[in-house]
RNA sequence: GCAGCUGUAGCUCAGUUGGUUAGAGCGCUGGAUUGUGGAUCCAGAGGUCGGUGGUUCGACCCCACCCAGCUGUACCA
């Protein structure tokens, strides 16, 4: 094809999306498999739903407008109906449950993993496509269902190699928060602003939250954000409520009851306290300690659909970003109770609770500590006998190794370049000389690279034939295995 | 959305107070080596200087607008 230079498309990735290579794929696969095993062992069963749903089923039509919310990627079907890419796994679950309600066991407990898409501005570590791993229980109002999710999240994080103290799973109740706002005489119209300010505690600190509860706050770029404009006694009351979170006391759960003020005197405050207490106490009795599962009054989550308990898991160790700076790493999992979601379809209230692990985020944090890699690769170079190369590769594969025969058309030197670029461990060479002698040459590419650092002159480079050995063709598998072992691949 | 910063080769960047054929390193391709990657040397390809308009004898450089990217912030199921 011939293209006019000006009409050629620019090869570029849409913003906020990314390509992923073998190392990350391997790491994610391992992570997903680990979580999956934990969730299945708890008796949750898998479910898959499509990436596209009708926009109205996702609940993302703009009010009054015949057009989807901008935050979702949408397209119009042939028949004029709007479809959207799912922005989480919970809305499709609600649709699925509503559609199959009769046939499902109640409580219905399922896990689901998949990509979700959000049409938002991407930032460092925030993409427009990412992977979530969800577990939800539909049809149980019991705190046992919430406790189970908290405990199972701990198990999953530990199965992924996190140690005690490297993570916390936090719980709060929106009912309790609402009761406190009421006790502080905060107008309902300011509820959203106040909650959002509290939610930013971990990122902006107490002073940031105080500014946002008051007049407002100016950020690093000089932009100004208006605050809730509360009276100072109201501000102090809210700050006192979230104090256990600020001071990071280890026994936050016990501190709850002292700081909830008159909140407990209202029904809603009582209820909020109870749902936290009951769930956390179940976890305690099951052996989950206060540094694993705890109450944190500053956990808020999204405003739209959570009705009571909210959950959030965080890492407690420092995480470096791409630039090598230590950053505050936000939550790696979040969720809560959403008792109204199924009712959107059926009109019936169905209690539901769930938690979602942000796999992409968790992966980027954990991968800095242990890099998963594919197993070492053996590449059989091809001189003049493709079938022979394939035969050797097959022998190696049958011995459980990862092996490929070179299928390009380039000359020998270039084949080695290829093997080098692929990061192969060993190149297998069988030319005319070897074949006549029933031998093969094995080249240890990693060791060869190390040895080459000492080479100074062209003559020396030409003369060297290091890090390789010629062995009997019959002993191919044994010799390759031995070389891999020696190189500690 | 708001604010700040930045757009020069595939990548990272240099480019003097506005001056004629826009450079470097890395990468890429070829060669030194028709059976040796990784070292070294030689040669080569690769650019509408983000776009449009303006100022000027003359613009990569100055001005305006637009676009894109980055960072912060807002929103975030």
């Amino acid at each position: 094809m011939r293209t006019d230079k000006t009409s050629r498309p620019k090869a570029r990735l849409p913003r906020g999306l990314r390509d992923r290579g073998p190392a990350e794929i391997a790491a994610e696969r391992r992570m997903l498999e680990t979580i999956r095993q934990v969730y299945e062992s708890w008796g949750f069963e898998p479910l898959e739903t499509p990436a596209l749903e009708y926009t109205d089923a996702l609940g993302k039509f703009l009010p009054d407008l015949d057009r989807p919310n901008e935050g979702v990627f949408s397209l119009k079907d042939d028949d004029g109906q709007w479809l959207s890419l799912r922005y989480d796994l919970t809305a499709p679950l609600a649709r699925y449950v509503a559609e199959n309600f009769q046939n499902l066991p109640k409580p219905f407990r399922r896990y689901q993993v998949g990509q979700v898409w959000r049409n938002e501005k991407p930032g460092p570590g925030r993409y427009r496509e990412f992977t979530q791993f969800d577990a939800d229980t539909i049809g149980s109002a019991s705190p046992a269902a919430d406790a189970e999710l908290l405990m199972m999240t701990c198990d999953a994080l530990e199965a992924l190699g996190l140690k005690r103290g490297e993570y916390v799973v936090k719980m709060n109740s929106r009912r309790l928060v609402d009761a406190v706002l009421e006790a502080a005489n905060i107008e309902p119209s300011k509820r959203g602003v106040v909650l959002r300010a509290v939610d930013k505690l971990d990122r902006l600190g107490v002073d940031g939250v105080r500014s946002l509860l008051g007049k407002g706050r100016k950020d690093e770029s000089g932009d100004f954000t208006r605050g809730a404009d509360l009276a100072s006694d109201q501000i102090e009351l809210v700050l006192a409520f979230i104090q256990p979170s600020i001071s990071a006391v280890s026994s936050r759960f016990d501190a709850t009851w002292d700081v909830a003020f008159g909140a407990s005197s209202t029904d809603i405050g009582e209820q909020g306290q109870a749902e936290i207490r009951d769930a956390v106490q179940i976890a305690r009795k099951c052996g989950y300690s206060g540094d694993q599962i705890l109450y944190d009054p500053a956990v808020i989550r999204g405003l739209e659909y959570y009705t009571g308990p909210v959950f959030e898991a965080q890492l407690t160790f420092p995480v470096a970003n791409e630039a090598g700076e230590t950053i505050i790493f936000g939550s790696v999992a979040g969720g809560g109770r959403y008792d109204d979601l199924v009712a959107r379809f059926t009109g019936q209230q169905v209690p539901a609770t769930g938690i979602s692990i942000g796999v992409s985020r968790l992966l980027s944090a954990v991968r800095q500590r242990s890099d998963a890699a594919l197993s070492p690769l053996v590449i059989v170079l091809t001189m003049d006998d493709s079938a022979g190369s394939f035969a050797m590769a097959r022998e190696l594969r049958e011995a459980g190794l990862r092996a490929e025969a070179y299928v390009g058309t380039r000359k020998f030197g270039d084949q080695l370049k290829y093997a080098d670029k692929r990061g192969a461990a060993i190149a297998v060479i069988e030319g005319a000389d070897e074949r006549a002698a029933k031998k093969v040459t094995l080249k240890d590419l990693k060791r060869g690279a190390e040895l080459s650092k000492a080479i100074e002159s062209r003559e020396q480079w030409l003369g060297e034939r290091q890090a390789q050995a010629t062995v009997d063709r019959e002993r191919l598998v044994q010799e390759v295995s031995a070389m891999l072992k020696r190189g500690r691949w």
Side-chain angles (χ1 to χ4, degrees):
Chain A
M1 188 172 92
R2 193 172 240 268
T3 50
D4 182 3
K5 188 164 183 179
T6 55
S7 71
R8 280 183 218 152
K10 189 170 164 64
R12 65 199 180 115
L13 203 51
R15 107 202 139 97
L17 302 178
R18 60 215 182 95
D19 299 318
R20 301 192 300 160
E24 182 166 353
I25 291 168
E28 189 189 83
R29 248 187 223 158
R30 241 175 40 167
M31 173 171 280
L32 296 182
E33 179 57 21
T34 303
I35 300 171
R36 190 185 67 74
Q37 278 176 12
V38 171
Y39 284 10
E40 282 192 357
S41 75
W42 279 74
F44 281 68
E45 61 183 41
L47 175 70
E48 282 186 15
T49 63
L52 284 169
E53 296 273 355
Y54 284 116
T55 305
D56 63 346
L58 295 179
K60 281 298 153 185
F61 269 112
L62 290 173
D64 309 329
L65 290 170
D66 190 24
R67 183 167 60 84
N69 186 304
E70 288 168 7
V72 297
F73 291 101
S74 304
L75 59 105
K76 231 173 187 173
D77 205 352
D78 289 350
D79 57 8
Q81 300 196 70
W82 280 103
L83 297 169
S84 296
L85 281 171
R86 64 188 178 200
Y87 55 85
D88 69 9
L89 300 175
T90 309
L93 171 65
R95 188 225 85 217
Y96 174 83
V97 168
E99 208 171 344
N100 299 279
F101 199 70
Q102 344 250 21
N103 307 320
L104 296 175
K106 262 74 76 177
F108 174 59
R109 292 149 74 248
R110 71 90 243 227
Y111 73 85
Q112 180 170 3
V113 58
Q115 308 292 107
V116 301
W117 294 267
R118 295 185 187 180
N119 191 7
E120 292 166 359
K121 189 194 151 185
R126 284 191 62 157
Y127 300 96
R128 298 201 296 175
E129 175 185 48
F130 52 96
T131 306
Q132 288 194 328
F133 205 129
D134 281 33
D136 293 79
T137 299
I138 310 285
S140 168
S142 166
D146 299 309
E148 179 178 57
L149 295 174
L150 298 175
M151 295 188 287
M152 195 167 76
T153 301
C154 290
D155 284 13
L157 293 175
E158 294 201 0
L160 291 171
L162 296 181
K163 304 212 166 34
R164 289 292 160 86
E166 291 186 322
Y167 67 90
V168 283
V169 181
K170 299 163 156 191
M171 182 181 182
N172 191 17
S173 169
R174 294 289 283 278
R175 288 197 178 89
L176 182 56
V177 176
D178 286 341
V180 169
L181 297 196
E182 203 186 319
N185 262 319
I186 291 167
E187 304 153 45
S189 65
K190 288 184 176 172
R191 177 173 173 270
V193 193
V194 172
L195 291 186
R196 282 191 290 268
V198 170
D199 194 42
K200 294 181 175 68
L201 176 65
D202 57 341
R203 197 156 43 85
L204 301 182
V206 194
D207 292 336
V209 174
R210 185 180 277 114
S211 314
L212 285 174
L213 291 174
K215 293 291 177 201
R217 173 179 176 273
K218 197 186 274 190
D219 70 45
E220 287 168 36
S221 70
D223 190 32
F224 186 77
T225 307
R226 265 192 59 198
D229 207 16
L230 300 184
S232 62
D233 58 325
Q234 292 178 310
I235 295 175
E236 293 315 314
L237 202 52
V238 171
L239 290 178
F241 172 64
I242 61 175
Q243 187 60 41
S245 179
I246 296 167
S247 54
V249 294
S250 59
S251 57
R252 286 182 210 175
F253 177 68
D254 302 321
T256 315
W257 320 122
D258 301 330
V259 298
F261 299 74
S264 60
S265 65
T266 67
D267 284 353
I268 200 138
E270 195 74 68
Q271 208 183 333
Q273 288 195 5
E275 58 196 4
I276 300 168
R277 183 183 55 226
D278 293 349
V280 173
Q281 280 181 353
I282 290 170
R284 286 284 182 286
K285 285 181 184 163
C286 292
Y288 292 79
S289 68
D291 59 2
Q292 286 176 286
I293 295 174
L294 53 82
Y295 161 68
D296 185 329
V299 171
I300 298 293
R301 308 294 307 164
L303 300 182
E304 228 165 286
Y305 64 55
Y306 292 119
T307 48
V310 283
F311 322 128
E312 192 163 287
Q314 285 175 6
L315 302 181
T316 56
F317 55 87
V319 172
N321 64 11
E322 287 128 30
E325 301 151 336
T326 301
I327 53 166
I328 296 169
F329 205 84
S331 65
V332 294
R337 251 186 197 281
Y338 48 98
D339 291 338
D340 300 333
L341 219 55
V342 178
R344 283 203 323 111
F345 297 99
T346 62
Q348 276 181 64
Q349 282 266 324
V350 179
T353 182
I355 190 163
S356 173
I357 297 179
V359 170
S360 312
R361 289 179 59 72
L362 184 54
L363 194 60
S364 71
V366 171
R367 218 149 72 82
Q368 296 170 2
R369 313 190 327 155
S370 63
D371 243 324
L374 296 170
S375 54
L377 175 68
V378 178
I379 293 184
V380 181
L381 306 191
T382 298
M383 313 299 282
D384 50 10
D385 179 14
S386 290
S389 306
F390 276 123
M392 285 191 276
R394 155 156 268 152
E395 284 174 38
L396 293 165
R397 279 197 293 273
E398 282 170 353
L401 298 169
R402 197 159 66 97
E404 70 174 57
Y406 179 77
V407 293
T409 57
R410 313 201 61 188
K411 63 185 182 186
F412 185 50
D414 292 320
Q415 294 193 30
L416 273 169
K417 279 189 188 177
Y418 166 81
D420 185 44
K421 202 160 239 178
R422 288 290 309 277
I426 295 177
V428 177
I429 302 159
E430 188 204 43
D433 297 347
E434 283 92 347
R435 195 172 308 119
K438 291 189 171 25
K439 301 273 188 185
V440 288
T441 297
L442 306 183
K443 187 169 180 102
D444 182 333
L445 296 171
K446 191 168 84 171
R447 185 158 159 67
E450 280 163 15
L451 292 173
S452 75
K453 285 175 192 154
I455 296 178
E456 312 232 317
S457 72
R458 185 174 132 68
E459 288 63 37
Q460 190 186 0
W461 182 80
L462 283 174
E464 298 289 344
R465 286 292 179 275
Q466 286 181 312
Q468 63 183 57
T470 299
V471 303
D472 289 344
R473 167 67 182 81
E474 293 184 341
R475 294 186 39 78
L476 172 69
V477 170
Q478 295 96 306
E479 296 290 348
V480 165
S481 302
M483 187 176 268
L484 287 174
K485 210 166 183 181
R486 241 177 291 133
R488 275 171 304 186
W489 279 92

